[in-house]
Amino acid sequence: MKTMQFKAYGGPEQLVMAEVPTPQPGPGQALVEVAASAVNPIDWKLHSGLLRWVRPVRFPATPCFDFAGEVKALGPQTTGIQLGERVFGMLPMRAYGAAAEYMVVDAAYVAVMPGNLSFQEAAGLPLAGMTALQALRDQGRLVAKQRVLIVGASGGVGHYAVQIAKALGAQVTGVCSTRNIDLVRSLGADAVIDYTRNEAMSQHGPFDLIFDTVMSQAFSHWHPSLGRDGVYVSLLPQAGLILHSLTLPLYSRQRVRFTFAKPNREDLAYLGGLAQNGQLRTVIDSVHPLAELHAALQQGQTGRARGKIIVAVKQ
Ligand SMILES: NC(=O)c1ccc[n+]([C@@H]2O[C@H](COP(=O)([O-])OP(=O)(O)OC[C@H]3O[C@@H](n4cnc5c(N)ncnc54)[C@H](OP(=O)(O)O)[C@@H]3O)[C@@H](O)[C@H]2O)c1
């Protein structure tokens, strides 16, 4: 089978197509014929060597965590999925590599795809969608009628976060640039802040939850807009923020929390249900064939994606 590989740390231009044996599913695993995958910032960050001190990569390495495809074989004692089912999911950090024609995956990381989604739409959802869900629901403890600010509302994580927050019954304000205002409104945001206009944040809020997917501004920029019991959730444990997370509880009811996507079938099924009900859609920034995975990663590196960058594995 064909797969894309990095042989050593480097930029997307170092990716090469390789022919490798089709893997065999072990106990509790499924073999999936991948129809589509998606790229996330972690893919280029891991293979550039940026995270080598915390997440070293073993080469050759096949990028990508997200997949949507069809179950072609089941290992012994595999339960919860059937042969021939259309499934989607996210591979765990210790076993990623979805940029390939076939991959094996533990059944715990797979769910049945919502019937109304294409493979490409479903492939965008797992990593970014579970990050958004777990940030809002588990770290932010968002409930109906609360006010939430989503920073980076047009990006991979942010565009799902806007829709999930609406589905949870929240009042949503999205932060994006001028060119993405219509998109973010179309996802259901009640209000939009255009970050290119440098508006004073004091005009907005207070928010019960600020979910920052961009993390380009210091916490002090957002703090005045955080409600008395507000929670600020970040995707990146920067040193200054860790300090705030430790000191804020000493003198206030506000909290700083971090989220790290944890793949699991229940959350995939929840997101699938929202998609099935028409409450969650994937905005597709661009689609790249497997052989041009480097172009997908380069597009991700620009930091300008609107929604998800998709890899079409099966044409
Ligand atoms: N901890 C975890 O488990 C986890 C999981 C997923 C992602 N992450 C991290 O979270 C970050 C976001 O991931 P992603 O997949 O959403 O990235 P992404 O899709 O590449 O985000 C791009 C979007 O960010 C917007 N943006 C850039 N600067 C902005 C600003 N100052 N204010 C508002 N929006 C801005 C861009 O809009 P414009 O072009 O209009 O500026 C673009 O739509 C990455 O650093 C990623 O590594 C962490």
Side-chain angles (χ1 to χ4, degrees):
M1 66 158 196
K2 290 185 172 44
T3 177
M4 295 300 285
Q5 288 184 341
F6 279 102
K7 303 287 187 196
Y9 287 119
E13 69 289 348
Q14 303 292 329
L15 272 167
V16 289
M17 177 81 83
E19 193 70 40
V20 300
T22 302
Q24 298 302 311
Q29 292 188 320
L31 174 73
V32 175
E33 183 184 22
V34 182
S37 181
V39 302
N40 291 279
I42 186 79
D43 292 308
W44 66 261
K45 288 180 186 176
L46 273 177
H47 300 98
S48 68
L50 193 67
L51 307 175
R52 75 170 79 190
W53 306 116
V54 276
R55 295 274 180 208
V57 175
R58 291 226 317 260
F59 296 100
T62 294
C64 296
F65 291 78
D66 289 323
F67 62 88
E70 208 173 296
V71 179
K72 291 293 178 188
L74 294 173
Q77 298 119 42
T78 303
T79 55
I81 40 175
Q82 311 292 326
L83 265 184
E85 257 176 348
R86 288 155 63 102
V87 293
F88 72 138
M90 172 188 163
L91 292 169
M93 182 58 82
R94 64 179 157 75
Y96 65 86
E101 289 179 316
Y102 293 88
M103 40 148 265
V104 293
V105 54
D106 290 356
Y109 304 129
V110 179
V112 175
M113 242 176 75
N116 58 337
L117 294 196
S118 67
F119 282 123
Q120 293 184 3
E121 290 167 327
L125 249 179
L127 192 156
M130 283 193 280
T131 303
L133 174 63
Q134 291 165 13
L136 296 171
R137 180 198 61 194
D138 304 340
Q139 299 303 328
R141 301 185 193 160
L142 186 66
V143 294
K145 303 216 163 54
Q146 283 190 326
R147 300 184 67 187
V148 56
L149 181 74
I150 293 167
V151 186
S154 55
V157 175
H159 91 290
Y160 289 130
V162 170
Q163 300 174 80
I164 294 167
K166 284 307 294 177
L168 292 171
Q171 254 193 62
V172 179
T173 301
V175 181
C176 64
S177 66
T178 316
R179 72 185 180 114
N180 287 322
I181 290 176
D182 290 346
L183 168 71
V184 172
R185 282 197 189 281
S186 78
L187 297 170
D190 303 285
V192 175
I193 299 172
D194 181 346
Y195 76 83
T196 65
R197 289 173 169 259
N198 290 322
E199 286 177 48
M201 273 309 294
S202 51
Q203 296 171 23
H204 304 278
F207 295 101
D208 300 295
L209 170 60
I210 297 179
F211 177 29
D212 190 352
T213 76
V214 177
M215 301 152 300
S216 64
Q217 301 269 12
F219 177 64
S220 55
H221 178 77
W222 306 111
H223 196 192
S225 314
L226 198 59
R228 269 191 346 153
D229 297 285
V231 183
Y232 172 90
V233 177
S234 164
L235 296 172
L236 205 64
Q238 291 147 329
L241 256 188
I242 295 175
L243 199 63
H244 284 302
S245 75
L246 298 172
T247 54
L248 261 185
L250 302 178
Y251 59 88
S252 83
R253 301 213 303 251
Q254 297 172 328
R255 296 289 181 267
V256 169
R257 298 204 177 104
F258 303 96
T259 207
F260 304 97
K262 291 182 201 67
N264 67 86
R265 184 186 291 170
E266 293 69 32
D267 286 351
L268 285 169
Y270 178 85
L271 294 171
L274 291 183
Q276 191 76 52
N277 294 339
Q279 290 175 285
L280 187 61
R281 68 182 171 99
T282 297
V283 172
I284 295 185
D285 172 271
S286 49
V287 181
H288 306 263
L290 181 62
E292 288 168 30
L293 180 63
H294 64 279
L297 291 183
Q298 281 160 346
Q299 171 66 358
Q301 278 179 317
T302 66
R304 301 271 82 87
R306 306 171 86 221
K308 291 302 303 177
I309 303 162
I310 302 296
V311 183
V313 179
K314 200 171 167 185
Q315 298 294 334

